[in-house]
């Protein structure tokens, strides 16, 4: 299994090569960073590419991505990775507090996911649209709670599967 941080670093390295080659699509993606938006010919460092990749996966910046993906217990904002466009059409139960979401999850079942600083209880169909197997044993190991998993290693494995499912750029 590929480590999620290593996978994102590899994607940033590929992206960095594309930026260095001055590929228009890569330069356009780079302009998503506020600090480079107006720069005519920015001096691009690897950290810029890490930040672009992190943002494209739903995190504020690289450090935020690392904190979330490594399971830092102090994280309050989980980003938007678990709510891709493919899942926007689902009707889910949303909660401001984890305790409320956990209570609803205990009553109705499903899968408890974080979204930024909020929580959502979703169905099997949502998990499939997310790109994960709802019958993966790691869900049970986590207690079906992504935000406060019983087994953090299970969540890391699911993050790895989720990120690996996204197509990777071809090396130029």
């Amino acid at each position: 299994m590929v480590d999620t941080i290593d996978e994102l670093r590899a994607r940033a390295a590929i992206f960095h090569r594309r930026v260095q080659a001055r590929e228009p699509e890569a330069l356009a993606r780079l302009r998503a960073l506020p600090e480079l938006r107006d720069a005519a010919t920015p001096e691009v460092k690897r950290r810029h590419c890490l930040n672009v990749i992190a943002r494209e996966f739903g995190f504020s910046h690289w450090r935020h991505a690392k904190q979330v993906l490594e399971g830092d217990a102090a994280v309050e904002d989980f980003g938007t990775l678990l709510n891709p466009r493919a899942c926007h059409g689902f009707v889910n139960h949303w909660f401001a507090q984890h305790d409320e979401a956990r209570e609803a999850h205990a009553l109705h079942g499903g899968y408890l996911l974080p979204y930024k600083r909020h929580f959502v209880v979703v169905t099997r169909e949502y998990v499939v649209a997310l790109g994960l197997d709802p019958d993966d044993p790691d869900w049970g190991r986590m207690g079906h709670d992504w935000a406060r998993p019983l087994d953090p290693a299970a969540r890391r494995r699911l993050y790895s599967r989720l990120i690996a499912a996204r197509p990777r750029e071809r090396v130029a």
Side-chain angles (χ1 to χ4, degrees):
M1 181 169 310
V2 177
D3 177 73
T4 54
I5 301 301
D6 290 343
E7 174 62 20
L8 293 182
R9 280 190 180 116
R11 290 172 187 242
I14 293 167
F15 176 58
H16 196 196
R17 284 191 288 266
R18 292 185 178 286
V19 168
Q20 289 172 326
R22 309 311 267 172
E23 292 181 15
E25 185 262 335
L27 293 173
R29 288 170 60 198
L30 189 65
R31 299 268 184 240
L33 294 178
E35 66 268 25
L36 298 179
R37 192 164 290 141
D38 298 323
T41 54
E43 180 186 341
V44 179
K45 298 184 181 327
R46 181 63 54 92
R47 69 180 165 84
H48 294 119
C49 296
L50 288 166
N51 283 333
V52 167
I53 296 299
R55 289 173 63 97
E56 290 176 350
F57 275 89
F59 303 104
S60 303
H61 45 73
W62 176 248
R63 190 178 74 239
H64 179 224
K66 279 190 68 177
Q67 290 172 322
V68 171
L69 296 172
E70 290 176 345
D72 184 340
V75 168
E76 292 181 12
D77 179 347
F78 286 85
T80 63
L81 176 62
L82 299 174
N83 189 264
R85 194 172 299 265
C87 294
H88 288 185
F90 289 90
V91 176
N92 303 302
H93 301 282
W94 288 82
F95 303 91
Q97 303 297 319
H98 182 263
D99 292 342
E100 296 169 339
R102 191 172 199 105
E103 190 175 304
H105 175 257
L107 286 172
H108 306 291
Y111 303 79
L112 195 161
L113 304 177
Y115 172 79
K116 295 186 180 183
R117 296 176 180 271
H118 302 280
F119 305 92
V120 59
V121 177
V122 303
T123 63
R124 295 176 56 80
E125 293 78 18
Y126 183 103
V127 172
V128 170
L130 187 60
L132 293 172
D133 178 0
D135 296 318
D136 188 310
D138 278 334
W139 285 107
R141 291 181 189 108
M142 290 191 324
H144 293 82
D145 184 346
W146 197 290
R148 308 277 191 288
L150 297 173
D151 180 358
R155 178 175 63 188
R156 283 192 297 276
R157 288 189 295 272
L158 286 174
Y159 265 133
S160 179
R161 289 183 193 101
L162 183 61
I163 287 174
R166 290 229 187 138
R168 193 191 241 200
E169 293 180 73
R170 290 192 190 120
V171 178

